[in-house]
Amino acid sequence: MQPQILARIDFEGILKELQTRGVKIIGIQLPDGLKYWSSEIAAKFEAEGFEVILSASPTYGACDIDVSLLQDVEVLLHFAHEPIFELDRVIYVPYRIDFDERSVENLNIPERKIALIATAQYAWKLEAVKSVLEAGGYEVEIGGGSDRIKLPGQVLGCNYTVLRDTTAEAVLFIGDGLFHPIGAAMYTGRKVYRFSPLSNEFEEVEASEFLKERMFAVARAMDAENFGIIVSSKIGQKRLGLARKLKEKVKKAGKKADIIVADVVSVANFNYDCFVNTACPRIAYDDWRNFQKPVLTPLELEIVLGLRSWGDYAMDEIL
């Protein structure tokens, strides 16, 4: 196993917690990026006398707990996400990427007042990054978020509340990928930069293509008469109350809607003109190409129904 992968997991702390609890049978739930190393990770616990059962279920965040496996083990270890709620028999195992905070010293950001954000793997080090930027003459803020946010400056695919009251001129996202910084740009309306400490990539993030995709989805749904409203059964994503409200809005508009509950969302055999996603927002934003029919967010449905203007477009959040 690669040493850097092992180094990002606090095995000693986890083992102490398991021994304190006096358990013997544990489940391990890994995101796809760590599943390749499942045998090596399981071996660490088996060597200490624990029986290990691995989850094959996908996990896209702390909201996505394998409750089925939890019934067959004493404790479930959920890797790589910070908790958004506390469950007695679930232990969240952080996966924290270390990097040299001085790598931000030479970033060319013309704005002098910056909000710092990151995903959980990087957010633990934002205070150190802040100190480096402040030494370079920047004014830096790291915001706190809603109850779903455990680390200052942490953003989720469904939650940008650390930027809710920002007075910054620009946002600097520390991490990999474009989804989160694009979401920050949509949420704040400010310029957003992305810096990856692992690849040393630095860029200004452009949200125009994302908006074009969403406009296309809304346009395709304008003539829809029959809507399938998707509800996740995952404990951290389930918004059945919202789905019921959306169904009433559709009915008041003289159209038809049904509520569809799913664990892993698959709607291939359902005959609806359009689907409305109340599960993880990334299903609509990232996975829409996997669906033959348009997939909208709850706020986009309001645009289709004439209850919201396009100028009032906003990201879907789970608060």
Side-chain angles (χ1 to χ4, degrees), residues 213 283-292:
E213 291 175 352
I283 292 172
Y285 295 142
D286 277 0
D287 299 339
W288 60 271
R289 294 176 183 84
N290 298 335
F291 298 84
Q292 292 183 336

Side-chain angles (χ1 to χ4, degrees), residues 28-180:
I28 292 180
Q29 186 177 18
L30 301 166
D32 287 347
L34 287 179
K35 281 190 172 77
Y36 182 84
W37 306 106
S38 61
S39 180
E40 289 84 352
I41 292 172
K44 283 279 188 180
F45 297 98
E46 289 172 339
E48 300 295 328
F50 294 97
E51 178 185 343
V52 176
I53 302 176
L54 296 167
S55 170
S57 297
T59 176
Y60 300 108
C63 58
D64 196 350
I65 303 297
D66 190 340
V67 292
S68 178
L69 177 56
L70 189 57
Q71 297 175 14
D72 297 314
V73 298
E74 294 172 280
V75 165
L76 177 69
L77 302 181
H78 181 93
F79 278 70
H81 302 116
E82 297 290 335
I84 60 173
F85 40 66
E86 302 295 337
L87 297 173
D88 287 342
R89 294 192 297 114
V90 176
I91 299 175
Y92 289 88
V93 181
Y95 182 77
R96 295 181 173 177
I97 298 175
D98 198 5
F99 61 95
D100 186 350
E101 61 270 16
R102 293 171 298 177
S103 59
V104 303
E105 283 179 332
N106 298 318
L107 299 184
N108 182 21
I109 301 176
E111 294 81 9
R112 307 310 293 175
K113 194 173 183 180
I114 300 171
L116 270 182
I117 60 172
T119 51
Q121 293 78 18
Y122 294 94
W124 68 281
K125 205 161 186 182
L126 287 183
E127 283 294 339
V129 173
K130 178 183 178 183
S131 296
V132 173
L133 290 171
E134 288 178 336
Y138 290 96
E139 184 179 341
V140 182
E141 66 176 51
I142 302 175
S146 71
D147 291 342
R148 291 172 74 91
I149 302 299
K150 295 302 178 185
L151 299 176
Q154 179 191 352
V155 292
L156 305 175
C158 62
N159 193 301
Y160 295 88
T161 52
V162 295
L163 292 169
R164 177 179 288 163
D165 300 316
T166 183
T167 59
E169 300 167 326
V171 178
L172 174 59
F173 170 78
I174 305 293
D176 306 301
L178 290 172
F179 179 83
H180 293 91

